Amino acid sequence: MSLPVAIRLLGRLILVLLAVVGLAGLFLALVVVTDGARSGLAAWLTAFAVGIVAALWRGRGRTWPGRLWPFVPVVAAAALTASICVPTVPTTRQYPPDLPFVAMGHWSLSTGSRVAVYHYPPVGAPRRPTPLVYLHGGPVRSISVLDHRFLRLLAGQGYDVYAYEHPGGGRSDLLPMEQYTISRSVRDLAAFIDRLDKGPADILGFSAGAIVLTRALATPDTAARVHRAIIAEPGPMDGPTALTSGQQGRPSARGLAPAPTGGRATHVPRYAVALGLIQLGLLPPDTGLITQAEGVNAFKAADLGSDTASAYCARDAGRIPTEDTAENFSFNAAASLRIQQTIKDSPSIVPGLSRSRTPAMLMIAECSSQTRQWQTSILAAGSAIERTQYMPGVGHRLWNGLDDNNERAAAVITAFLQGEPSPLPNYPTRTGISAFLRDHR
């Protein structure tokens, strides 16, 4: 092959590749403009039609073999982008199988939510008269097997333990996307306590569950249903807090632990595009590109990436436990983002939280991946917070099954619920927030 011919072929190949990239980019832009209508098919047909018109225009006046070349990038781009329009998992909700070690049922709440409920009856003595309700993290995911083991430990200390998965997560029914709000989560908690019908309940809220609990304490009619509150490793409680920048705890295992193994939805073009555009805010959580159910079915534990490692101290990077099973894991990423956005959009709850009289305890991890100021803002505003427990040797995942971490967390929780002296000092105090932030940079 002569050099001029080779140069012409290379130039033609480059033009083809540029045309393919251009059509693929047009398709993605149209996905955003059309909100992913009809599973992305509207964008695909439009981009394909534009490509055909452009190919016909470029081929005008040429002989027949020459007229075919402009269609090469159109066909290639159409084949490349078609995979984004084709589901690879069921589009109707597939629920995890029942867990063999805990009684589970479904409760229909007065809010309209239908939630999966887990009950660990008290064993051992003495039996505690007040029920204990667990609000898990996520938000909008299944309760992990690691959490279930901890709840079983609390039941073994005499607590009548109940937990429910937030609507849209785990084995609970989905909601219309616009109904996923932090206010709805608080109303669901009040409705759950009413449905339990055992009077005011002790509430243990972890991570996203701690946000729900904090906002419940700032809502008088819901706070009246809470006997004692444990706010463990909370995220931002409202919009102003979410805008607060600051420091985190001691170094976590993020970037040190081995990469998670297993399949990922983000390795499939359809879900990589859909979840990526939703994460970037270019598509709404209720996009027409993928259904809510399809997104839940597709999402895998490995898609959380380094988020899991960030919940452990750096010293534990080589021994991070398996938090969940593939069969039990379920995460509604779109609904989670929707709830987080409603927190960011919400006004300050400081006035309501400062008036709360429900006895509360705040738990903070040494290697917390949460911004310290998110946690201390609750301490500053919550006049009824009776004690703060700084948990050494653990990250955001306070009870993780390593060493005696579960037993230490349970001892702190039990001491507070029973009004007994804690095994740990009350630290930081409300007046010592500035010193705490200074000493833990």
Side-chain angles (χ1 to χ4, degrees):
M1 181 184 298
S2 66
L3 183 59
V5 172
I7 292 175
R8 283 200 303 272
L9 288 176
L10 179 59
R12 183 169 289 182
L13 179 60
I14 291 174
L15 290 175
V16 168
L17 291 176
L18 289 175
V20 170
V21 171
L23 284 172
L26 174 63
F27 166 74
L28 292 177
L30 289 170
V31 166
V32 173
V33 171
T34 62
D35 191 16
R38 297 186 178 276
S39 198
L41 190 59
W44 187 85
L45 289 173
T46 303
F48 190 49
V50 169
I52 291 175
V53 171
L56 289 172
W57 184 82
R58 288 187 58 206
R60 72 192 190 285
R62 299 184 183 182
T63 60
W64 269 109
R67 291 182 182 180
L68 295 178
W69 267 106
F71 287 92
V72 172
V74 178
V75 173
L80 179 66
T81 56
S83 61
I84 297 174
C85 304
V86 180
T88 61
V89 300
T91 56
T92 56
R93 184 71 177 98
Q94 305 296 298
Y95 293 92
D98 291 351
L99 295 169
F101 50 77
V102 59
M104 190 273 287
H106 285 90
W107 288 6
S108 294
L109 305 180
S110 59
T111 56
S113 299
R114 186 172 181 269
V115 297
V117 180
Y118 305 87
H119 182 208
Y120 288 94
V123 294
R127 297 199 173 192
R128 319 294 182 177
T130 304
L132 175 60
V133 176
Y134 177 61
L135 298 177
H136 63 89
V140 203
R141 64 181 294 177
S142 54
I143 298 175
S144 71
V145 170
L146 207 59
D147 276 343
H148 279 292
R149 291 174 186 157
F150 185 65
L151 298 181
R152 194 159 37 186
L153 172 63
L154 293 176
Q157 298 184 0
Y159 292 99
D160 191 15
V161 180
Y162 291 83
Y164 67 93
E165 287 166 326
H166 303 303
R171 297 161 183 83
S172 293
D173 287 2
L174 303 177
L175 293 175
M177 190 60 68
E178 68 274 8
Q179 293 187 25
Y180 291 110
T181 66
I182 190 62
S183 298
R184 172 63 171 264
S185 298
V186 173
R187 294 196 301 273
D188 280 339
L189 172 60
F192 182 85
I193 298 172
D194 289 345
R195 177 70 170 74
L196 190 59
D197 197 24
K198 295 188 176 184
D202 292 330
I203 311 294
L204 167 60
F206 167 67
S207 191
I211 301 174
V212 176
L213 178 54
T214 301
R215 295 181 68 96
L217 297 180
T219 308
D221 59 340
T222 305
R225 297 169 166 88
V226 181
H227 179 248
R228 282 181 172 258
I230 302 169
I231 304 168
E233 276 290 286
M237 62 182 177
D238 53 27
T241 308
L243 294 174
T244 302
S245 59
Q247 69 234 46
Q248 297 179 340
R250 307 295 188 199
S252 75
R254 182 188 290 270
L256 302 175
T261 58
R264 297 188 183 210
T266 47
H267 286 172
V268 179
R270 175 174 174 81
Y271 305 114
V273 169
L275 296 173
L277 292 177
I278 292 173
Q279 179 72 43
L280 292 171
L282 296 175
L283 285 179
D286 57 345
T287 175
L289 185 56
I290 60 172
T291 65
Q292 181 186 167
E294 184 186 353
V296 178
N297 294 339
F299 203 93
K300 306 299 181 186
D303 286 309
L304 293 173
S306 59
D307 282 358
T308 298
S310 70
Y312 294 82
C313 291
R315 67 179 73 95
D316 294 326
R319 58 170 193 157
I320 293 177
T322 301
E323 293 190 347
D324 213 348
T325 62
E327 295 78 18
N328 183 64
F329 178 83
S330 171
F331 183 55
N332 192 330
S336 178
L337 289 171
R338 162 77 180 164
I339 290 178
Q340 292 177 58
Q341 189 59 52
T342 65
I343 295 172
K344 295 175 182 178
D345 294 339
S346 68
S348 172
I349 64 168
V350 168
L353 188 59
S354 64
R355 291 191 293 269
S356 175
R357 295 297 175 263
T358 302
M361 177 177 76
L362 177 65
M363 297 177 72
I364 301 175
E366 177 185 3
C367 309
S368 177
S369 56
Q370 306 290 73
T371 299
R372 290 292 193 208
Q373 284 78 356
W374 294 349
Q375 302 163 339
T376 56
S377 63
I378 294 176
L379 176 59
S383 57
I385 294 180
E386 297 181 349
R387 65 179 76 166
T388 304
Q389 302 287 263
Y390 179 77
M391 305 294 293
V394 292
H396 181 62
R397 173 62 73 170
L398 293 167
W399 38 88
N400 53 34
L402 298 175
D403 303 326
D404 63 344
N405 293 335
N406 284 16
E407 288 73 18
R408 290 194 299 124
V412 164
I413 291 169
T414 296
F416 173 71
L417 293 180
Q418 302 311 311
E420 299 170 351
S422 173
L424 295 177
N426 179 27
Y427 174 78
T429 62
R430 187 171 293 104
T431 58
I433 290 176
S434 297
F436 173 74
L437 294 175
R438 182 181 63 249
D439 294 343
H440 291 272
R441 289 178 180 174

